[in-house]
Amino acid sequence: MLLRLPTSVSEAQECLAEGAVPVGGATLVWATWQREGFPELAMSLRKLPQANVIGAERLGAAVLLGQMDGRVPDVLRRAAGTVGTGAVRRAATVGGNLVGSALRCLLPAALVLDARATVLESDGVRETDLAEVVAKRPLLLSLRWSAPLACAYRKLPADAGAPPPLVVASALHAGDGAGDGEGGGAGYGVRVAVRDGYEVFEGAAVTGADPEETLESLRATALGDLPAAAWAVVQPQVLDLLARER
């Protein structure tokens, strides 16, 4: 297998045109390759500057999970810190987790940040939403978002071999935060994302004087389909986040 390490977007685009298979830390594909055969040409983004940025409002796809620290929002840092073992986090990448993993442990955190994705295709670079990243699995270069006012994350414990543990992430944003124009951009908004099994549910609401009204607004979104056990985690997390608003 020949591994290409492009140092510019144009080089990465050429690699794609040549049929190179994108790899992150290869933590998810190595066993498959050993079983089914290695590709003739692969490509890693670990030398591409645009894919290695770490900041308060941007994160590169080639960043290792173990590199995520206080420079990124706490919801992302904590999500990365719960993935696998230390050895896995020293090899696995942001892009590999979001695009290549069935669990997508970073997805709830990215959703509550209302992150947008920059992706590379054979005809150039463009920006898209996370729904397309999950559905079509393009070559992810980076994520960007507006820094939240506050955020929270919780991953319940689970036994080995058991179904994926429940994950609840939330973030408080300036403006309505709901993504649908309600509230005219005034006040605050809260976004919540929950991974229940292999499915991820999300919802957003404008916050009001009564926290219970905000919870009811969230129940009117896709989050309302969650079981009571999930809401037992969502409710206190959202209430705590709203308390920071005041």
Side-chain angles (χ1 to χ4, degrees), residues 1-4 14-15 18-22 38-43:
M1 179 181 75
L2 177 63
L3 178 64
R4 297 279 298 275
E14 290 175 6
C15 291
E18 294 171 7
V21 177
F38 287 77
E40 292 184 6
L41 182 62
M43 171 178 60

Side-chain angles (χ1 to χ4, degrees), residues 192-219:
V192 179
V194 177
R195 188 188 71 189
D196 184 27
Y198 289 96
E199 291 191 76
V200 176
F201 302 82
E202 60 174 317
V206 178
T207 65
D210 184 356
E212 292 299 329
E213 290 184 1
T214 302
L215 285 171
E216 286 304 309
S217 295
L218 289 172
R219 286 185 183 274

Side-chain angles (χ1 to χ4, degrees), residues 37 56 92 100 149 151 154 158 165 185 200 206 225:
L149 302 175
C151 52
R154 185 180 177 190
V200 176
V206 178
D225 295 328

